[in-house]
Amino acid sequence: ARVNTRIWETLAKAIRDNKRLSIRHTSPGEKTYTDREVDPYYLVNCKGEWYLSSFCHTRNSIRTFAVSRIQRAEILSETFTLPAAMDKKTMFGDQFGIVWKPDHYKVRIRFAPEVAPYIREREWHPLQRIKDLRGGGLVREFTTNHLPEVKDWVLSWGSGATALSPTILVAKVAASLSMALAQYRRRIRRG
């Protein structure tokens, strides 16, 4: 994604100086912008996209903003102190994504024998555990607070992966698959 270098530099300077920011941001697919005041914590590059991880005073919670969707950034006079609990390891240490949530989930995913070799050869999570199954499959377990990215990862393996837990992840994967199946059924009916 294209990033306005002046905005990126403004964000970086605010992080360096612990200064609050006023930003104008849009969500994916939206045409309207929202103005937010944020305490910028980190600039993070994830899968080729830059993100601003910050405390959003509008939502009173940690929020992540794609830098490419920030239309304006202005440094304010207010300063902030980065909370000790918001270090890089806490926010990004499990390597599954950048959408931070305070809740942690024990994730279990079963991988079919045909994709298991690809899962075995890479460290997907620093605290992952693997349980080998008869027939060549495996179950991968780890704890994370990045469920949206885990859902997308499970879906990327198609029928080769099955989310086993937590229930909320299983439901999200099932809902995505149901919607995709409905779209394909409509397409088949239309010819």
Side-chain angles (χ1 to χ4, degrees), residues 36-170:
R36 310 273 182 110
E37 284 193 13
V38 300
D39 294 342
Y41 292 165
Y42 299 101
L43 276 170
V44 181
N45 190 292
C46 183
K47 300 176 186 171
E49 174 93 32
W50 282 101
Y51 295 92
L52 174 67
S53 180
S54 60
F55 180 83
C56 176
H57 290 275
T58 304
R59 300 282 189 219
N60 199 32
S61 65
I62 303 296
R63 295 292 178 176
T64 304
F65 301 96
V67 175
S68 62
R69 292 194 292 268
I70 296 175
Q71 301 300 307
R72 180 186 54 76
E74 177 186 344
I75 296 175
L76 302 175
S77 60
E78 294 92 344
T79 59
F80 69 92
T81 302
L82 181 68
M86 292 295 124
D87 63 4
K88 286 182 185 177
K89 185 171 185 195
T90 300
M91 295 189 73
F92 312 109
D94 75 17
Q95 300 176 3
F96 251 100
I98 49 89
V99 179
W100 189 87
K101 300 288 183 187
D103 300 322
H104 286 79
Y105 302 92
K106 183 177 178 183
V107 173
R108 294 179 64 243
I109 304 164
R110 182 177 56 237
F111 291 93
E114 60 269 17
V115 300
Y118 301 102
I119 301 302
R120 274 191 192 93
E121 71 185 9
R122 183 169 169 196
E123 180 182 286
W124 298 93
H125 188 281
L127 301 175
Q128 66 191 18
R129 291 175 304 284
I130 297 174
K131 178 182 175 188
D132 290 315
L133 301 174
R134 288 185 189 176
L138 63 87
V139 173
R140 173 137 302 175
E141 297 179 355
F142 53 90
T143 300
T144 186
N145 62 353
H146 297 285
L147 282 186
E149 287 92 341
V150 174
K151 177 199 74 154
D152 293 343
W153 185 59
V154 170
L155 291 169
S156 76
W157 291 99
S159 63
T162 305
L164 302 176
S165 66
T167 304
I168 189 170
L169 175 63
V170 174

